[in-house]
Amino acid sequence: EAGVAQSPRYKIIEKRQSVAFWCNPISGHATLYWYQQILGQGPKLLIQFQNNGVVDDSQLPKDRFSAERLKGVDSTLKIQPAKLEDSAVYLCASSSDRTVDTQYFGPGTRLTVL
Amino acid sequence: QKEVEQNSGPLSVPEGAIASLNCTYSDRGSQSFFWYRQYSGKSPELIMSIYSNGDKEDGRFTAQLNKASQYVSLLIRDSQPSDSATYLCAVKSFMVGGSQGNLIFGKGTKLSVKP
């Protein structure tokens, strides 16, 4: 079974630029999560999707961050414009259903904002 | 603000010893507790979950939960150099303004097992 796929693995941009990250969850997994992990901290949930609907985006900075999962499979997270403090690893995770506790994480995208 | 607290370490133990990792949480209503292992530069991997007070054993790993004290721990017996990683404690909690229980992670404890 293929795991959670993410791309790109690394991205370097300048502040005020835009960036997008892509995630493809494990096949058949209905629930998809985006986390932000700043160096030295634990992952922080940004948004949770169930199929193509948003279940929880209470911690997503909506003035600059957006995410979509249009067909209920893969997802895109966008930052526009980026700030220095957005430098982090962006992790995508999936689970078979939102009631299932086990989440499988992708390899992450390391973002550096200069 | 619901919080999960861990000692950041590093915790250094000799090979073959018992490593003890601790975590406290602020949300008394939390019902689900997890330990993730994260190797440097890698993504978190679930190693243990616990839902009831007491101990839960899985191989060399034992998770302990005390809801009255809002405390969860992870013991690693016969520690190996391959256990060297950051261990993240996560608690399922309900966010203010959110509709679903979601994971709140601690900052992690870095474990180093010396040969």
Side-chain angles (χ1 to χ4, degrees):
Chain A
E1 179 182 71
V4 177
Q6 289 189 247
S7 68
R9 293 295 312 279
Y10 305 92
K11 190 75 176 178
I12 301 174
I13 62 173
E14 295 189 349
K15 61 183 180 183
R16 291 188 289 274
Q17 286 187 324
S18 301
V19 65
F21 314 125
W22 175 82
C23 171
N24 192 31
I26 292 172
S27 179
H29 278 196
T31 308
L32 185 148
Y33 311 81
W34 282 103
Y35 289 88
Q36 179 193 58
Q37 186 173 22
I38 293 172
L39 187 65
Q41 298 186 19
K44 172 189 168 186
L45 180 70
L46 294 175
I47 189 167
Q48 178 189 356
F49 291 94
Q50 177 73 8
N51 297 311
N52 61 348
V54 175
V55 174
D56 192 333
D57 63 357
S58 57
Q59 297 194 99
L60 186 73
K62 298 180 186 63
D63 57 335
R64 297 184 302 106
F65 287 65
S66 64
E68 60 184 14
R69 192 185 185 198
L70 293 177
K71 297 182 179 179
V73 180
D74 56 352
S75 175
T76 302
L77 176 70
K78 297 179 181 178
I79 307 175
Q80 181 180 8
K83 293 185 176 181
L84 296 176
E85 58 261 36
D86 298 331
S87 293
V89 176
Y90 290 84
L91 294 163
C92 179
S94 70
S95 63
S96 57
D97 185 79
R98 63 183 175 181
T99 61
V100 173
D101 286 330
T102 302
Q103 298 183 19
Y104 297 88
F105 284 83
T109 296
R110 182 177 297 276
L111 173 68
T112 301
V113 182
L114 302 176
Chain B
Q1 181 77 5
K2 297 176 182 178
E3 295 182 340
V4 176
E5 299 285 345
Q6 293 182 256
N7 186 326
S8 61
L11 174 65
S12 184
V13 300
E15 185 175 355
I18 296 175
S20 178
L21 305 163
N22 305 314
C23 170
T24 59
Y25 59 94
S26 64
D27 182 9
R28 187 170 288 278
S30 298
Q31 297 295 320
S32 307
F33 308 88
F34 308 89
W35 284 99
Y36 282 79
R37 178 176 60 200
Q38 187 171 29
Y39 291 112
S40 180
K42 302 295 185 183
S43 56
E45 173 193 14
L46 180 67
I47 54 172
M48 290 286 287
S49 58
I50 187 167
Y51 303 92
S52 304
N53 280 329
D55 295 359
K56 178 182 178 182
E57 187 174 318
D58 184 0
R60 296 185 296 110
F61 298 95
T62 299
Q64 300 175 317
L65 175 61
N66 184 326
K67 291 183 180 179
S69 300
Q70 296 176 239
Y71 176 91
V72 59
S73 66
L74 180 70
L75 300 178
I76 306 175
R77 291 182 300 280
D78 188 23
S79 295
Q80 302 296 310
S82 58
D83 295 326
S84 297
T86 295
Y87 288 81
L88 299 164
C89 175
V91 175
K92 193 168 187 178
S93 191
F94 286 84
M95 310 295 186
V96 175
S99 60
Q100 299 296 318
N102 283 308
L103 294 183
I104 298 176
F105 284 85
K107 293 184 177 181
T109 297
K110 188 171 184 177
L111 173 66
S112 178
V113 181
K114 303 296 186 184

